[in-house]
Amino acid sequence: MAIDFYFDFASPYGFIAGMQIDAIERPVGWRPFLLGAVYKTFGQSPLEHPLKRKYVIEVDAPRMARRIGLELKVPADFPAHALPPARAFYWIEQQDPARAVAFATAVYRKYWLEGSATSDAAIAADAAASVGFDRDAVLAGMQDASTKSRLIHENEDAIRKGVFGSPFFLVDGEPFWGSDRIALLAQR
Amino acid sequence: MAIDFYFDFASPYGFIAGMQIDAIERPVGWRPFLLGAVYKTFGQSPLEHPLKRKYVIEVDAPRMARRIGLELKVPADFPAHALPPARAFYWIEQQDPARAVAFATAVYRKYWLEGSATSDAAIAADAAASVGFDRDAVLAGMQDASTKSRLIHENEDAIRKGVFGSPFFLVDGEPFWGSDRIALLAQR
């Protein structure tokens, strides 16, 4: 059964899920979206109160990352949007679907292991270059009207399917929310 | 290392944690509190949007309960407060600390396996009777000024310690939020 994997590049638990999902021997459709667009629809903001944000960013996400051998570093501009990589992902996917996942993994590592800014288009372009794309072509591709409308469409599609957090998984219509549900996906 | 276990009786994941925490061979301090009091302080409401509530109540909490062999049944008045059992717990604890945990387990099963109303004092009294307390004494004890102020104090203490969800665990000052962190507690 294929897994649809919805995530925001600015989401620490999305990162933690992304670093583990390949271990599930199942086709995975990577679907970056903007949590901000979802929250705008539902009238709620991510990591809404300071205590919860502090817990997630300073305690729990680093702890869960360490459990899979990774040392978390928070993006320099956190909490900022991750519009550039989401657009770059869909532009790349149109050229070469296989390399889109390699790009997602590379850029995720830049944000959450190196602390690079998620809202900085140059970082996303660097990550695309690291998987073989021309930097300027990617930067231009992100600004294509078709790329922009594609991401808007993906956000709307995620909302229509009931996605309300990152990461979020859909397996044959069954929803799973959170990186803690990875073990269940494998058994599904 | 002792574990402080904070939970709201109206919380499905608090229930799921409560059904598992005895398996950890460590002293556990059961600390019921009212999530509503915490949320009032932080200006946020639990299971804030309908989509998230639907996911938790209809999909995820039943799924996680089934994994530990339990068939979840949602309390008839959900989402209502769980003031009576929280008060009853601290009244009972004052008489007999050991039986307070037996009471918590019994009343939690009434709410989440039998679907009894969390806001109904009669249900809490029934559960107290099932562990050997006099029904009327418990009902009167819940109304004691000292019981009421004890619960207020416990809520304030939880807030002061940074508790913002249910279940929530503190182990030597380290916070753990959610029933998904039970496995980590065992390793702590």
Side-chain angles (χ1 to χ4, degrees):
Chain A
M1 201 85 74
I3 297 168
D4 283 321
F5 169 37
Y6 295 87
F7 61 97
D8 187 317
F9 282 110
S11 153
Y13 295 121
F15 164 73
I16 287 169
M19 296 299 108
Q20 295 177 81
I21 194 125
D22 270 357
I24 302 177
E25 293 174 355
R26 207 84 64 72
V28 176
W30 289 55
R31 285 285 160 270
F33 72 102
L34 302 181
L35 205 45
V38 173
Y39 281 121
K40 205 181 276 177
T41 302
F42 297 125
Q44 198 206 19
S45 73
L47 295 183
E48 46 275 29
H49 67 69
L51 217 56
K52 189 170 159 186
R53 176 180 297 172
K54 192 178 151 76
Y55 168 79
V56 166
I57 292 302
E58 296 178 19
V59 180
D60 192 64
R63 185 169 58 194
M64 298 313 281
R66 273 195 300 274
R67 286 173 65 84
I68 53 170
L70 300 172
E71 199 57 44
L72 204 72
K73 199 165 168 188
V74 176
D77 59 347
F78 184 86
H81 67 79
L83 184 58
R87 283 184 178 160
F89 178 93
Y90 288 113
W91 181 82
I92 290 171
E93 196 189 48
Q94 222 169 14
Q95 330 282 315
D96 184 347
R99 265 199 289 174
V101 173
F103 162 74
T105 303
V107 80
Y108 240 153
R109 295 180 71 93
K110 279 189 183 290
Y111 299 142
W112 292 98
L113 296 180
E114 297 170 24
S116 299
T118 57
S119 63
D120 183 351
I123 303 291
D126 289 347
S130 80
V131 297
F133 284 90
D134 180 74
R135 229 178 154 280
D136 291 337
V138 177
L139 285 167
M142 286 186 218
Q143 297 304 322
D144 279 355
S146 66
T147 306
K148 291 181 180 179
S149 67
R150 172 68 189 277
L151 179 58
I152 290 169
H153 168 80
E154 292 286 343
N155 284 337
E156 288 170 348
D157 191 53
I159 290 167
R160 199 167 34 243
K161 285 176 174 154
V163 172
F164 59 80
S166 168
F168 202 99
F169 311 90
L170 286 172
V171 186
D172 195 25
E174 186 176 351
F176 297 84
W177 172 41
S179 55
D180 299 314
R181 294 294 172 269
I182 289 261
L184 268 70
L185 290 182
Q187 294 159 20
R188 186 59 176 60
Chain B
M1 201 85 75
I3 296 168
D4 283 321
F5 168 36
Y6 294 88
F7 61 96
D8 187 317
F9 282 110
S11 153
Y13 295 122
F15 164 73
I16 288 169
M19 295 299 107
Q20 295 177 82
I21 194 124
D22 270 357
I24 303 176
E25 291 174 355
R26 207 86 62 74
V28 176
W30 290 55
R31 284 285 160 269
F33 73 103
L34 301 181
L35 204 46
V38 173
Y39 280 121
K40 205 181 276 179
T41 303
F42 296 126
Q44 197 205 19
S45 72
L47 296 184
E48 48 276 29
H49 67 67
L51 216 57
K52 189 169 159 188
R53 176 180 296 173
K54 192 177 151 75
Y55 168 79
V56 166
I57 291 303
E58 296 178 19
V59 179
D60 192 62
R63 184 169 58 196
M64 298 313 281
R66 273 194 301 273
R67 286 172 65 85
I68 53 169
L70 301 172
E71 199 58 43
L72 204 73
K73 199 165 169 187
V74 177
D77 59 346
F78 184 86
H81 66 79
L83 183 59
R87 281 184 179 161
F89 178 93
Y90 289 112
W91 181 81
I92 290 172
E93 197 190 48
Q94 221 169 13
Q95 330 282 316
D96 183 348
R99 265 199 289 175
V101 174
F103 162 74
T105 304
V107 79
Y108 240 153
R109 296 181 71 93
K110 279 188 185 290
Y111 299 143
W112 292 98
L113 297 180
E114 296 169 25
S116 299
T118 57
S119 63
D120 183 352
I123 304 290
D126 289 345
S130 80
V131 297
F133 284 91
D134 179 74
R135 228 178 155 280
D136 290 336
V138 176
L139 284 167
M142 287 186 218
Q143 297 304 321
D144 278 355
S146 66
T147 305
K148 291 180 180 180
S149 68
R150 172 68 189 277
L151 179 58
I152 291 169
H153 167 79
E154 291 286 342
N155 284 336
E156 287 170 350
D157 191 54
I159 290 167
R160 197 166 37 243
K161 287 178 173 153
V163 172
F164 60 80
S166 166
F168 203 97
F169 310 92
L170 287 172
V171 185
D172 196 25
E174 185 176 352
F176 297 84
W177 172 41
S179 55
D180 299 314
R181 295 294 172 269
I182 289 260
L184 269 71
L185 290 182
Q187 294 158 22
R188 186 64 177 54

